[in-house]
Amino acid sequence: QVQLVESGGGLVQPGGSLRLSCSASGIIFRFYTMGWYRQAPGKQRELVAVATIGGSTNYVDSVKGRFTISRDNAKNTLYLQMNSLKPEDTAVYYCNANNPSRGRDYWGQGTQVTVSS
């Protein structure tokens, strides 16, 4: 059974920081491209950051320079360090594991991030 469990969300003031974690089980973690997505109320889910199998990373323009995605293959865990948070970062953040060659795509349940004073 595949499980992706996010943690680390919460309420933070503008300019603050949070670190999200996604613990994966039931998959061979190192064979998956891992990503963080977010969905704000009334908006479509969007890709925030991705960490490929080879270790490269990509970010949506709105978070470049503020967010850092990383993965620990030994711990089967994905991270998202979020600094200089803004109210527009408020959303439910989801972890995704993708292996297109095997047709595998998995999602976590999401964790709420609220940036407000």
Side-chain angles (χ1 to χ4, degrees), residues 29-42:
F29 186 81
R30 65 184 183 276
F31 290 163
Y32 282 75
T33 290
M34 300 298 298
W36 287 101
Y37 289 72
R38 66 185 179 187
Q39 187 167 18

Side-chain angles (χ1 to χ4, degrees), residues 49-99:
V50 62
T52 68
I53 295 170
S56 62
T57 57
N58 282 291
Y59 301 88
V60 67
D61 285 346
S62 60
V63 308
K64 285 180 180 176
R66 300 189 298 122
F67 290 11
T68 302
I69 189 172
S70 61
R71 61 189 297 164
D72 186 333
N73 289 342
K75 295 183 178 180
N76 290 354
T77 302
L78 179 72
Y79 303 99
L80 184 68
Q81 178 66 44
M82 305 186 294
N83 298 328
S84 302
L85 282 161
K86 304 175 180 180
E88 51 264 43
D89 295 317
T90 295
V92 178
Y93 283 70
Y94 297 90
C95 175
N96 174 262
N98 182 260
N99 185 329

